[in-house]
Amino acid sequence: MSPVALWELCLSGKLVKVRAALASGEDVNRKDIDNRTGLMWAVIRNHNSVVRLLLEQPTLDLNLTDLDGWTALHLVAIKGNVEGARLLLADPRLNTHNHKDNNGWTPLMTAIFHKNVDTVRELVAHQSVDLDARNILGLSLEDCAR
């Protein structure tokens, strides 16, 4: 086992060390104190080479949530990580396209709120993302204007 947790290596974008930790048996789904995984930290920090490596791991769970109810897809929506969005959306294991966080927001609603237009485009182009206007319009105009 690595003396540094896998999620910490992912947070710092240390691809070689992430690869070595995985090879030595580190749990790809290990969480930090806020229930964030290495995948979540990699997408937050736009370390997409790390994201690619993690997605190659057969035991990776892309659908885990942190303490806020955010999935990795919520986090790409918050950060505007378009490449991360593409990578996650392309993985057939992803089944939280429309997961609502603790505030009832889906990744699409989150991307709209944060005005991450390119991420919104990626999400709406995906067949599994719910475009139900009642869900999207649940955001007030004030929320979208901020």
Side-chain angles (χ1 to χ4, degrees), residues 15-90:
L15 181 62
V16 172
K17 290 186 177 187
V18 170
R19 184 175 283 117
L22 290 169
S24 72
E26 277 289 326
D27 178 3
V28 71
N29 297 308
R30 183 174 172 190
K31 295 181 175 188
D32 69 7
I33 194 167
D34 294 319
N35 279 357
R36 289 203 176 141
T37 64
L39 177 65
M40 291 175 179
W41 281 115
V43 297
I44 288 170
R45 295 290 179 96
N46 292 312
H47 297 312
N48 293 315
S49 59
V50 173
V51 172
R52 275 188 218 80
L53 175 61
L54 294 173
L55 290 171
E56 292 172 3
Q57 308 310 305
T59 59
L60 177 70
D61 187 342
L62 288 75
N63 304 298
L64 296 173
T65 59
D66 68 8
L67 292 179
D68 295 309
W70 293 336
T71 64
L73 199 56
H74 280 92
L75 295 166
V76 299
I78 290 167
K79 292 298 183 175
N81 182 350
V82 178
E83 182 181 355
R86 284 186 197 122
L87 292 168
L88 294 177
L89 290 167

Side-chain angles (χ1 to χ4, degrees), residues 71-135:
T71 64
L73 199 56
H74 280 92
L75 295 166
V76 299
I78 290 167
K79 292 298 183 175
N81 182 350
V82 178
E83 182 181 355
R86 284 186 197 122
L87 292 168
L88 294 177
L89 290 167
D91 194 299
R93 296 172 293 180
L94 184 72
N95 63 22
T96 50
H97 304 84
N98 303 300
H99 174 80
K100 292 184 179 180
D101 66 14
N102 295 350
N103 293 315
W105 288 30
T106 65
L108 178 58
M109 295 164 82
T110 303
I112 292 168
F113 177 78
H114 288 278
K115 299 180 183 177
N116 290 321
V117 176
D118 292 332
T119 307
V120 169
R121 285 188 182 114
E122 288 299 321
L123 290 166
V124 299
H126 197 277
Q127 69 276 8
S128 295
V129 174
D130 184 3
L131 301 180
D132 184 342
R134 290 170 300 187
N135 288 335

